[in-house]
């Protein structure tokens, strides 16, 4: 099937553009017609990849998850477990948002706000992605606690909630107020919070 790789490349290009649009305008801002016009292709050609708007939305979510994995998760997983990995996970997220890997900031922050009160398959997929991220952050914290990098009384779920809140606030503030200082403030707050939870001085933890 000689034509298949080219088809898959085209599909990936379409979905990357769809994710960029959705990061600004939400998944409801996507349509076959809009994508066709944006990419300069026929609507009938795009229907060959996505038979419905919901299918397009779900495929866009999966594509965005792949980008998120590459930009945020994999850099952290390349670092040994413990406090250093936790710091890297937070830094990678802030860098991903600040560099505007998606033009609308964090893709998942945008679509979570859009679908948090809308039942259906798309909401379920958005919720699952958010839960995966929270679980990863919690597990990373718990690993650091068990390795002795964080004090034994650290509540991993509570700390994960606080760190994610700081990350998302930086993203939201930088977008709404066009304020890059929000990322510096978030880094300062995260450093302070980790310092208070660390079993050893944070300055002794190796850098990246």
């Amino acid at each position: 099937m000689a034509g298949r790789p080219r088809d898959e490349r085209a599909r990936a290009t379409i979905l990357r553009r769809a994710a960029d649009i959705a990061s600004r305008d939400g998944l409801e801002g996507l349509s076959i017609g809009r994508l066709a016009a944006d990419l300069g292709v026929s609507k009938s050609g795009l229907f060959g990849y996505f038979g419905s708007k919901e299918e397009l939305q779900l495929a866009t979510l999966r594509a965005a998850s792949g980008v998120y994995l590459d930009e945020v998760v994999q850099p952290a997983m390349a670092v040994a477990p413990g406090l250093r990995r936790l710091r890297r996970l937070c830094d990678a997220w802030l860098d991903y948002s600040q560099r505007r890997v998606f033009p609308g900031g964090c893709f998942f922050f945008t679509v979570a706000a859009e679908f948090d009160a809308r039942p259906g398959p798309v909401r379920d997929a958005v919720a699952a992605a958010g839960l995966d991220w929270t679980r990863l952050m919690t597990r990373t914290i718990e690993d650091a606690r068990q390795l002795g990098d964080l004090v034994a009384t650290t509540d991993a779920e509570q700390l994960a909630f606080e760190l994610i809140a700081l990350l998302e606030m930086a993203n939201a503030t930088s977008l709404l107020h066009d304020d890059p200082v929000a990322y510096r403030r978030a880094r300062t707050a995260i450093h302070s919070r980790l310092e208070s939870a660390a079993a050893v001085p944070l300055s002794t933890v190796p850098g990246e």
Side-chain angles (χ1 to χ4, degrees), residues 89-106:
L89 192 61
C90 293
D91 286 342
W93 197 100
L94 289 170
D95 185 56
Y96 143 85
S97 174
Q98 188 169 16
R99 285 189 296 111
R100 298 296 186 253
V101 171
F102 294 109
C106 178

Side-chain angles (χ1 to χ4, degrees), residues 28-52:
E28 285 297 304
L30 287 179
S31 69
I32 300 291
R34 178 175 181 178
L35 270 179
D38 208 50
L39 294 167
V41 298
S42 68
K43 289 174 65 174
S44 60
L46 284 186
F47 269 115
Y49 295 103
F50 317 103
S52 68

Side-chain angles (χ1 to χ4, degrees), residues 143-174:
D143 287 346
R145 188 190 70 81
Q146 292 187 7
L147 288 166
D149 288 353
L150 298 175
V151 295
T153 56
T154 298
D155 182 333
E157 292 184 356
Q158 178 64 30
L159 182 54
F161 183 92
E162 294 175 22
L163 295 178
I164 291 171
L166 290 168
L167 298 174
E168 292 185 348
M169 187 62 181
N171 179 80
T173 301
S174 72

Side-chain angles (χ1 to χ4, degrees), residues 15-126:
L15 288 173
R16 189 63 178 86
R17 181 60 187 146
D20 284 346
I21 292 171
S23 74
R24 289 192 308 255
D25 302 335
L27 286 167
E28 285 297 304
L30 287 179
S31 69
I32 300 291
R34 178 175 181 178
L35 270 179
D38 208 50
L39 294 167
V41 298
S42 68
K43 289 174 65 174
S44 60
L46 284 186
F47 269 115
Y49 295 103
F50 317 103
S52 68
K53 183 172 183 175
E54 183 177 277
E55 186 179 338
L56 171 61
Q57 291 173 331
L58 291 170
T60 300
L61 274 166
R62 290 190 292 270
S65 293
V67 174
Y68 192 86
L69 182 69
D70 290 342
E71 295 286 341
V72 179
V73 178
Q74 289 185 347
M77 293 304 104
V79 175
L83 188 51
R84 187 180 174 210
R85 176 179 286 183
L86 178 57
R87 291 176 63 184
R88 185 72 185 96
L89 192 61
C90 293
D91 286 342
W93 197 100
L94 289 170
D95 185 56
Y96 143 85
S97 174
Q98 188 169 16
R99 285 189 296 111
R100 298 296 186 253
V101 171
F102 294 109
C106 178
F107 172 92
F108 294 97
F109 181 86
T110 300
V111 300
E114 180 185 18
F115 278 90
D116 56 4
R118 297 185 186 185
V122 177
R123 178 189 181 276
D124 292 345
V126 171

